Amino acid sequence: MRLILLGAPGAGKGTQADVVKSKYNIAHISTGDILRANVKQGTELGKLAQGYMTSGKLVPDDVIINMMKARLVEPDCKEGFMLDGFPRTITQAEALDKMLAELGIALDAVVSLEIDDEVVVSRLTSRRVCKQCGEIYNTIGKPSRVDGVCDKCGGEVIQRADDNEGTIRNRLSVFHEQTAPLIEYYKKAGILVSVDATAGKDSVLKIIERQG
Ligand code: ADP
Ligand code: ZN
């Protein structure tokens, strides 16, 4: 099973991927997670990406494309993968098509998680994340038992640097301008499936199970 999870920031691509992963042994590839790990480790890639990320802009296409070329040939991709946060531009989508053709594989589906901008703003301004294990909290829906401390690992629970309202609105306009055209791109390819992003954490899993 090879899937793309498409959707605005805050649509819940990562959450849906976690639910799928609990049932299927396929790789969850989040470009945002890879980039954040590089920023944390202070690699060349991380240094380059950091400024774009904190302002909510896209990291340049060639950087992301090279990163993904290396990632898709890792052994854990053999059983399939879910791409979360890639592609994000038409240029990236065309590069992905080329990579897949060279590998002799094809996508099964592109799932578009549909969500209203104002729901995203309220979701992301209240989102918190454990610095240590990555567990996601929400100050409204799912607070940690002790403020600022992770229930799972005791790590520090923080707000992501790009989860402030100004940056969130930038990320949303970047999404509408650069990423939303991919919906049409994959519709034309005949592999687009649209779902309501507020319908539940297992919407993507249900689609996979329906497809068999
Ligand atoms: P979200 O989907 O919530 O915006 P991500 O964790 O997917 O967050 O991405 C965080 C940031 O990493 C983005 O705002 C962008 O700067 C960068 N990024 C992630 N994926 C890509 C990509 N495919 N192309 C360009 N930049 C990316
Ligand atoms: Zn934790």
Side-chain angles (χ1 to χ4, degrees):
M1 178 66 55
R2 298 183 190 94
L3 291 180
I4 293 177
L5 303 178
L6 203 61
K13 302 184 290 290
T15 308
Q16 298 278 351
D18 283 342
V19 174
V20 172
K21 248 187 13 195
S22 66
K23 279 215 161 174
Y24 293 90
N25 179 29
I26 56 181
H28 171 206
I29 305 177
S30 158
T31 44
D33 285 350
I34 300 173
L35 291 168
R36 277 185 292 279
N38 276 275
V39 170
K40 204 170 163 189
Q41 289 157 20
T43 66
E44 286 305 311
L45 172 61
K47 283 179 202 154
L48 192 149
Q50 190 164 28
Y52 296 101
M53 294 174 78
T54 37
S55 58
K57 288 189 191 136
L58 294 185
V59 175
D61 283 335
D62 57 329
V63 174
I64 298 289
I65 290 166
N66 283 329
M67 183 177 106
M68 288 304 291
K69 268 187 191 155
R71 185 62 187 85
L72 287 178
V73 296
E74 298 268 326
D76 65 333
C77 293
K78 281 244 152 56
E79 301 293 314
F81 50 74
M82 288 172 287
L83 303 183
D84 162 5
F86 175 86
R88 250 172 155 102
T89 64
I90 295 284
T91 306
Q92 292 181 16
E94 289 169 349
L96 175 64
D97 283 343
K98 250 181 90 186
M99 284 179 225
L100 296 176
E102 276 166 18
L103 293 168
I105 54 183
L107 294 168
D108 294 293
V110 176
V111 183
S112 169
L113 295 163
E114 311 278 342
I115 193 163
D116 188 80
D117 280 7
E118 296 314 310
V119 178
V120 166
V121 173
S122 108
R123 268 194 189 182
L124 293 189
T125 48
S126 56
R127 174 163 79 177
R128 299 292 182 273
V129 53
C130 172
K131 228 172 141 174
Q132 200 158 292
C133 75
E135 181 72 6
I136 307 279
Y137 295 94
N138 186 289
T139 55
I140 305 163
K142 185 197 167 195
S144 55
R145 279 194 300 269
V146 179
D147 194 33
V149 181
C150 180
D151 296 353
K152 282 207 167 156
C153 78
E156 190 187 354
V157 174
I158 57 152
Q159 185 166 29
R160 247 170 68 175
D162 58 352
D163 277 349
N164 63 79
E165 186 167 348
T167 303
I168 293 164
R169 297 225 179 252
N170 280 343
R171 284 154 66 202
L172 280 168
S173 67
V174 167
F175 172 77
H176 290 298
E177 281 163 26
Q178 309 212 56
T179 309
L182 295 180
I183 295 173
E184 207 41 52
Y185 182 91
Y186 289 116
K187 203 182 274 176
K188 279 196 189 130
I191 52 174
L192 189 83
V193 186
S194 297
V195 294
D196 176 356
T198 62
K201 293 178 179 181
D202 56 355
S203 308
V204 176
L205 177 66
K206 282 183 184 155
I207 289 168
I208 294 177
E209 293 185 328
R210 218 182 301 141
Q211 289 209 336

